[in-house]
Amino acid sequence: MCGRNVRRSRGVTLGVTNSKLFTPMTLRSMDLSHRGWVSPMCQYSADPEAAPGVPTDWHLMHLGQFAAGGAALILTEASAVNAEGRISPRDAGIYNDEQGRAWHRITEFVHSTGSVQTKIGVQLAHAGRKASTYWPFSGRNGSVPATDHGWQAVGATDESFDGYAAPRAMTEGEINAVIDDFAAAADRAVLAGFDTVEIHAAHGYLLHQFLSPLVNTRTDAWGGDEESRSRLTLDVIDAVRARIPDGMPLLLRISATDWISGGLDADSSVRLARRAADHGVDLIDVSSGGAVPGAKIPVGPGYQTAFAEQIRRETDLSVGAVGLISTADQAEHLLATGQADGIFLARAALRDPHWWQRAAHDLGADLQWAPQYERAAANRGKY
């Protein structure tokens, strides 16, 4: 299977300790200097009037700071594959050439700034029925009307999410068109200089809407049993895999459980991961939830890592763990106990964009710093 083209590279360390966090890893032809990575985080900072979907200087600063801080891999925010796939009017996209050029500026900056030869990947996404909503710091909630740069969302069905405006159920032609949009976005990702691509199939967005039996009640070839509900995700994987180089790894973010009886669970996610591997996915980025409101999620440190561990144990894929992972010791424990192959950070990275340099100090590992910052690393006993 294509997913077997992975080397987990255990046992080689950068520093004087046997730190798992600072062990190199290779996915296809992409060499990662260690296993501490940046999770996709929406910034809602594109200008919906002047340049819809185009990444800005904010994105350059936001992503560049993690490269300077020692992250081995950075994933962009969810980047829409077409205009109606944006979560909000302020979301970034990768569906036209202007956006592609703006992303290229950012990938070049990250590659030139990283203290550890940082890699950067784009997360390709479509929000489905969760599109055209207000961004978190707008002071407003719900769906954005057309008078405020909004649009009608589309989805697996015409059922709305938690008070949002009702979407339009996608036709066969629209489903095939969105597969083509993912493929075209993959083309732009390669031209923009990204090192890897992640497909977003989690958090209640379009692909997850088709995957979850709680949402997908279609009776055609795109709904029904698990195989049919997986069809869109697998077709998107095929389309993207066909457009990126053989040596470029393909990542897939999933919600491993819907946290509601009758929805997706760990076992169904293992089956999806196996199918994804057969279609060319190299790593599963394991998150959870988001398909339907009202789920009781036991949020706490590492609350999603059991799902990552099961997928890792029962498939040939590498996995990334995410979700309230904040300390070097916690990350080290998850890797040392075989619960994951890599650690995605979100809030912890926002709080400390140099988290990886601090973690290396705490774990006694040697991590190269950008030369402009080396004076801060000189006296490691007083970080």
Side-chain angles (χ1 to χ4, degrees):
M1 63 175 65
C2 294
R4 292 181 187 273
N5 193 6
V6 174
R7 287 180 283 147
R8 286 176 173 159
S9 305
R10 296 188 182 93
V12 180
T13 62
L14 292 178
V16 296
T17 70
N18 290 321
S19 168
K20 292 292 185 180
L21 181 59
F22 290 98
T23 299
M25 180 175 179
T26 299
L27 291 167
R28 292 191 183 242
S29 296
M30 183 176 73
D31 293 325
L32 298 172
S33 57
H34 61 78
R35 293 156 187 259
W37 310 330
V38 178
S39 186
M41 292 178 278
C42 289
Q43 296 298 292
Y44 308 101
S45 295
D47 187 332
E49 294 186 8
V54 177
T56 65
D57 285 348
W58 178 269
H59 297 90
L60 181 76
M61 178 281 298
H62 168 68
L63 299 170
Q65 66 180 341
F66 302 132
L73 172 65
I74 300 168
L75 294 184
T76 73
E77 64 190 79
S79 301
V81 299
N82 61 34
E84 69 183 6
R86 292 171 294 160
I87 301 168
S88 83
R90 293 178 62 90
D91 276 58
I94 189 166
Y95 53 85
N96 64 40
D97 292 343
E98 183 182 7
Q99 295 161 0
R101 288 190 293 270
W103 282 123
H104 187 250
R105 173 176 174 244
I106 292 170
T107 64
E108 285 193 322
F109 183 75
V110 165
H111 289 147
S112 68
T113 304
S115 57
V116 291
Q117 296 182 324
T118 303
K119 308 298 184 183
I120 181 169
V122 62
Q123 187 186 63
L124 304 182
H126 190 299
R129 68 177 184 170
K130 285 185 166 183
S132 189
T133 58
Y134 280 107
W135 51 102
F137 47 89
S138 67
R140 291 167 287 183
N141 296 308
S143 297
V144 179
T147 54
D148 198 13
H149 306 290
W151 59 93
Q152 184 181 24
V154 298
T157 72
D158 60 5
E159 184 178 354
S160 63
F161 177 85
D162 199 22
Y164 293 169
R168 183 180 71 254
M170 296 176 73
T171 66
E172 176 94 8
E174 288 173 324
I175 293 171
N176 286 317
V178 86
I179 296 170
D180 291 340
D181 289 337
F182 271 93
D187 284 336
R188 288 193 177 89
V190 174
L191 290 173
F194 285 104
D195 301 295
T196 186
V197 169
E198 177 172 272
I199 296 169
H200 198 349
H203 301 165
Y205 297 125
L206 184 67
L207 300 187
H208 187 190
Q209 290 164 27
F210 274 82
L211 287 167
S212 175
L214 300 177
V215 181
N216 186 353
T217 56
R218 297 176 71 106
T219 57
D220 62 3
W222 303 94
D225 63 14
E226 185 174 286
E227 182 177 357
S228 296
R229 287 185 282 106
S230 301
R231 180 182 172 190
L232 176 56
T233 297
L234 296 178
D235 282 0
V236 166
I237 292 170
D238 287 341
V240 171
R241 182 75 264 174
R243 298 296 186 92
I244 62 176
D246 288 343
M248 179 181 285
L250 180 58
L251 284 55
L252 179 69
R253 171 164 274 196
I254 66 169
S255 282
T257 177
D258 287 331
W259 296 108
I260 290 180
S261 178
L264 297 175
D265 59 19
D267 290 338
S268 63
S269 292
V270 167
R271 293 190 293 271
L272 173 64
R274 289 174 178 153
R275 295 188 187 103
D278 288 338
H279 287 255
V281 165
D282 302 288
L283 181 142
I284 303 292
D285 177 0
V286 186
S287 191
S288 70
V292 292
K296 295 181 179 179
I297 303 176
V299 176
Y303 68 104
Q304 297 172 147
T305 57
F307 306 116
E309 190 277 334
Q310 182 174 345
I311 291 171
R312 186 178 189 270
R313 184 180 67 248
E314 297 184 17
T315 73
D316 292 320
L317 286 164
S318 292
V319 302
V322 66
L324 295 185
I325 301 169
S326 58
T327 69
D329 285 343
Q330 183 187 10
E332 183 72 17
H333 172 76
L334 294 173
L335 296 170
T337 55
Q339 296 180 62
D341 296 287
I343 303 297
F344 284 105
L345 300 177
R347 290 174 177 85
L350 294 181
R351 287 189 291 266
D352 182 2
H354 293 261
W355 186 95
W356 304 272
Q357 291 163 342
R358 184 183 297 276
H361 173 268
D362 291 347
L363 295 173
D366 183 22
L367 185 66
Q368 180 181 346
W369 286 50
Q372 297 93 326
Y373 284 5
E374 279 182 349
R375 68 175 72 96
N379 189 349
R380 296 181 183 275
K382 296 182 180 179
Y383 185 94

